[in-house]
Amino acid sequence: MKRLLIAGFGDLGRRLCSRVDPSRWEVHALRRSPAEPESAVVFHAADLTRRDTLKAVPTTFDAVIYQATPAERTPEAYRAIYLQGMENVLEHVNCEQLIMVSSTAVYGQNDGQWVDEDSMTEPERFNGRILLDAEALACQHGGQIVRFSGIYGPGRDMLIRRLRSGQAKCAASVVQWTNRIHADDAARVLAHVLEQRDLGPVICATDEAPSPRCEVLDWLAEQLDCPRPERVNDTQAGAGKRVSNARLKASGFEFTYPDYRSGYQGMLQ
């Protein structure tokens, strides 16, 4: 049986475990604090940013999925988890397959254009720049990069909460494109990449319907019986980007939730 290490075990890790074939994979997981026992997972308590805490972790795995997230949205926290943390794991663990969870934040395009795995990556924000550095580190070790768009689902319902509280707004002067993927599909993507190793070094993971922000908010407001969000004149608002999933789709992956309507409808019910 092969051994898989999930470095950074949260909601996405739990969803992934239910989609990995238990007859093929023994799943190990790293997390800072002790976890509730789960029969399908061997847990190891470790702080990825401190290499000394990894001493009790086995050193050989067939595959590692690095999907840790920063404790806060600061450059220091991002560097600690994505650069120092990955370095610590890769210095401690030997593996044949490495998959790093990244983000479409690495793209700086902001005029509504389409982007894919081969598009220019020139992010303006620190998170995108640090993620690019982490991607480069993973690639040095032969890793594959999965760039997720915005992940939503149960427990990831920021738009719903903002609408209900009356805080949701959208730009009146420009169409702002948004990209998203349901958390269940995100976990299925990782399980798919784990088994399909010939997808290339980078895979964009997003659903089939990039959508204008106002359209999404208006539809959600109607479903929730809430007022539509206020339109504001934001002279600095950009049009965003539209992310292509053509490479993922060509590999045979099929979405459970191909657009925001199907994904959010399940949450609202």
Side-chain angles (χ1 to χ4, degrees):
M1 181 178 290
K2 294 183 176 182
R3 296 207 302 177
L4 166 66
L5 176 64
I6 302 175
F9 190 85
D11 173 67
L12 190 56
R14 289 188 180 88
R15 294 174 190 271
L16 172 61
C17 285
S18 66
R19 288 156 180 83
V20 171
D21 185 350
S23 68
R24 285 174 46 79
W25 293 95
E26 177 184 275
V27 180
H28 293 243
L30 299 180
R31 53 175 291 156
R32 292 189 186 92
S33 57
E36 292 294 326
E38 296 186 31
S39 58
V41 184
V42 179
F43 283 105
H44 305 277
D47 182 342
L48 299 177
T49 65
R50 294 176 49 202
R51 190 179 178 191
D52 61 297
T53 67
L54 298 173
K55 290 180 180 178
V57 177
T59 58
T60 302
F61 290 90
D62 295 280
V64 172
I65 297 180
Y66 194 88
Q67 57 177 39
T69 55
E72 56 186 5
R73 194 176 178 82
T74 65
E76 294 76 17
Y78 267 69
R79 290 191 191 96
I81 200 68
Y82 284 114
L83 295 175
Q84 188 60 55
M86 195 188 305
E87 284 183 357
N88 290 341
V89 169
L90 295 177
E91 287 177 3
H92 180 81
V93 170
N94 295 312
C95 65
E96 294 182 5
Q97 183 180 12
L98 169 65
I99 300 170
M100 178 203 161
V101 171
S102 186
S103 165
T104 55
V106 299
Y107 298 108
Q109 289 84 340
N110 200 26
D111 293 322
Q113 60 266 65
W114 283 92
V115 298
D116 61 17
E117 292 83 0
D118 298 319
S119 297
M120 187 85 65
T121 51
E122 294 181 340
E124 294 183 358
R125 298 179 180 177
F126 75 83
N127 58 323
R129 294 194 296 269
I130 294 171
L131 281 168
L132 273 182
D133 290 340
E135 288 186 5
L137 175 61
C139 288
Q140 289 173 14
H141 291 264
Q144 287 179 294
I145 311 301
V146 181
R147 292 174 179 162
F148 284 112
S149 61
I151 300 175
Y152 73 102
R156 299 172 183 258
D157 55 356
M158 180 183 65
L159 289 184
I160 293 174
R161 288 184 282 109
R162 286 189 173 179
L163 276 167
R164 283 177 168 159
S165 66
Q167 297 178 354
K169 295 178 173 56
C170 61
S173 57
V174 65
V175 174
Q176 292 180 299
W177 290 97
T178 60
N179 306 269
R180 56 185 51 79
I181 184 170
H182 193 283
D184 283 344
D185 279 331
R188 292 178 58 245
V189 167
L190 290 177
H192 180 74
V193 175
L194 185 65
E195 300 293 352
Q196 303 285 331
R197 297 185 60 174
D198 58 350
L199 298 182
V202 179
I203 303 98
C204 288
T206 188
D207 73 18
E208 299 186 45
S211 305
R213 176 178 168 81
C214 284
E215 175 189 308
V216 178
L217 288 172
D218 285 349
W219 182 86
L220 275 174
E222 182 178 352
Q223 306 306 307
L224 296 166
D225 196 22
C226 291
R228 290 189 173 189
E230 178 186 356
R231 266 59 172 174
V232 295
N233 290 317
D234 185 351
T235 58
Q236 297 185 358
K241 56 188 174 286
R242 287 175 280 182
V243 183
S244 169
N245 65 11
R247 179 174 294 179
L248 179 63
K249 288 278 291 180
S251 72
F253 185 83
E254 296 183 0
F255 287 86
T256 302
Y257 304 102
D259 56 34
Y260 71 85
R261 291 180 180 87
S262 57
Y264 276 113
Q265 195 67 60
M267 294 168 60
L268 296 173
Q269 290 174 351

